[in-house]
Amino acid sequence: VIVEMIKSNHSSLLNTLIHMYCNCGSIEDARKVFDDSPKQDIVTWNAMIAGYAQYGFSEEALTCFSRMKKEGFTPNAATFACILKACGKLELLEMGEQIHVQFRKDGLLENNIAMGNALVDMYAKCGMLVKAQKVFDDHPKRDVISWIALIFGYGHHGLGDEALSCFVRMQAAGFEPDAITFSCILKACGNTGSVDKGQEIHAEVRKQGLITNNPMIGNAVVDMYAKCDMLLKAQQVFDELPTPNIVSWNAMISGYVQNGFSSQALDCFARMRDNDISPNEVTFACILKACGNLRLVQKGEEVHTELQKLRLLEKNILLGNALLGMYVKCGEIGKA
């Protein structure tokens, strides 16, 4: 059927097919249809760029954007929104600012919520929170995505108090937070030690049934309590999760290590493996710190061997530093 569609050169059907593959996460299949299409239009290019941007292939999105312009296609608002997402991901501030200038020149910002949101998100991810706030304040129309972009930006760059203040203003403006917003605010509560606000949000997400139905929310609650040194509460919420994943386990393990309970962190690590959950870089870094704290050089060496086997040390400075710190704390200066 796909071959017949390509032969028929029916652009709307081909564009729909590319969209379908991108929405299903099959970027390679989408690209194959794109490359085999006898003729592309702006919708075809936008579908491909959007697919790359949506799934984090930001460099590929920018390459596609460059090719599109070289082949004589003029980007539209939808194109720029996707490229701004890629700019934010790669922290390409200068390129994002150039697009902002183009937006103002073309009058695309006046009544276009998507364009305003894309700019707020780009500036926030690039750490330019003052500019993100200004675009947000100047934009005549806002939706929940506008608020999420700003809240996420503040939280991501460690400005937890500003994120919490923004959350309060969002609610006062009549916008209902969604799962992403709750996750961002719970993270901010953990980073700032705002346990009272965290407990308030915990009560709200519990009432909405989000802890058991949404893994992201459950993990955020566990992480918040762990960072606020309320490990018994964190463990209680963890035990309520229907299917804890690697993020859940990492939140508990890092919480134990950060609060000086390294033995409990190692016990948690053992239980995680008993549940057939494979550790990742974050897990290993925490466990190496626990081994160093307890002077368990043999356990640390076991982790070192596993990291070499998995080839995780080659490009991961976090793990290299954790391994170095473990050997130093264990008095193994030669190995360090």
Side-chain angles (χ1 to χ4, degrees):
V1 174
I2 294 171
V3 172
E4 290 303 316
M5 288 171 64
I6 292 172
K7 285 181 179 178
S8 70
N9 193 21
H10 200 303
S11 59
S12 63
L13 286 175
L14 291 170
N15 293 341
T16 301
L17 188 61
I18 292 171
H19 272 297
M20 183 274 292
Y21 277 130
C22 287
N23 288 335
C24 292
S26 301
I27 304 299
E28 289 186 8
D29 290 324
R31 182 56 189 262
K32 189 174 188 313
V33 175
F34 178 89
D35 290 338
D36 290 344
S37 301
K39 187 173 75 172
Q40 291 104 0
D41 57 18
I42 186 63
V43 179
T44 320
W45 285 98
N46 281 351
M48 202 62 243
I49 292 170
Y52 280 133
Q54 181 182 350
Y55 287 94
F57 298 102
S58 301
E59 293 179 358
E60 289 83 351
L62 293 175
T63 300
C64 200
F65 177 61
S66 179
R67 277 186 54 208
M68 183 190 87
K69 290 193 294 182
K70 282 181 182 177
E71 295 195 18
F73 291 92
T74 302
N76 59 17
T79 323
F80 282 129
C82 294
I83 292 305
L84 281 171
K85 186 172 184 177
C87 289
K89 182 81 173 176
L90 298 173
E91 297 187 15
L92 299 176
L93 177 62
E94 186 176 345
M95 185 174 184
E97 288 179 318
Q98 290 172 0
I99 294 174
H100 188 182
V101 170
Q102 189 68 45
F103 277 2
R104 282 197 298 238
K105 183 179 175 183
D106 296 343
L108 293 174
L109 280 174
E110 294 175 7
N111 293 303
N112 194 316
I113 294 179
M115 294 298 100
N117 291 347
L119 272 174
V120 172
D121 182 67
M122 182 276 295
Y123 280 126
K125 285 180 178 169
C126 289
M128 303 294 288
L129 277 308
V130 173
K131 282 196 172 183
Q133 184 70 61
K134 188 174 189 316
V135 173
F136 179 89
D137 292 338
D138 291 346
H139 205 275
K141 292 185 178 181
R142 300 168 191 155
D143 59 11
V144 69
I145 297 173
S146 319
W147 288 96
I148 290 172
L150 199 56
I151 290 169
F152 176 85
Y154 281 127
H156 181 68
H157 291 281
L159 301 171
D161 290 331
E162 288 82 351
L164 289 168
S165 174
C166 194
F167 179 67
V168 171
R169 295 200 310 274
M170 171 186 165
Q171 289 182 304
F175 289 94
E176 290 293 328
D178 61 3
I180 296 174
T181 319
F182 280 130
S183 295
C184 290
I185 290 303
L186 284 164
K187 182 177 181 180
C189 290
N191 291 340
T192 57
S194 304
V195 70
D196 290 340
K197 186 66 177 177
Q199 288 178 313
E200 180 186 318
I201 294 170
H202 180 196
E204 179 61 30
V205 295
R206 180 190 290 280
K207 187 168 70 176
Q208 294 186 28
L210 291 174
I211 292 181
T212 53
N213 295 329
N214 191 308
M216 178 172 61
I217 294 290
N219 292 341
V221 174
V222 172
D223 186 63
M224 182 274 295
Y225 280 125
K227 286 179 177 172
C228 290
D229 197 15
M230 296 185 68
L231 294 172
L232 288 176
K233 192 70 177 174
Q235 187 68 60
Q236 180 186 337
V237 177
F238 178 89
D239 292 339
E240 293 173 1
L241 300 179
T243 52
N245 57 23
I246 185 61
V247 179
S248 323
W249 287 98
N250 282 349
M252 284 306 309
I253 291 169
S254 64
Y256 280 127
V257 174
Q258 288 166 14
N259 289 286
F261 298 100
S262 295
S263 294
Q264 289 85 337
L266 291 174
D267 289 341
C268 196
F269 180 60
R271 293 200 309 275
M272 184 190 88
R273 295 206 125 162
D274 287 342
N275 282 272
D276 296 323
I277 303 293
S278 297
N280 61 13
E281 290 91 338
V282 175
T283 326
F284 283 126
C286 291
I287 292 305
L288 284 168
K289 186 172 183 180
C291 291
N293 291 341
L294 296 170
R295 310 295 189 269
L296 296 176
V297 68
Q298 186 175 348
K299 180 66 177 177
E301 287 175 327
E302 289 175 11
V303 175
H304 187 181
T305 300
E306 187 168 1
L307 291 174
Q308 288 176 316
K309 190 182 299 182
L310 295 171
R311 303 184 68 178
L312 291 176
L313 286 171
E314 295 174 6
K315 296 181 180 179
N316 195 306
I317 193 167
L318 172 72
L319 286 175
N321 290 342
L323 192 61
L324 178 65
M326 182 274 295
Y327 279 127
V328 169
K329 283 184 177 179
C330 290
E332 297 285 347
I333 305 302
K335 287 188 176 179

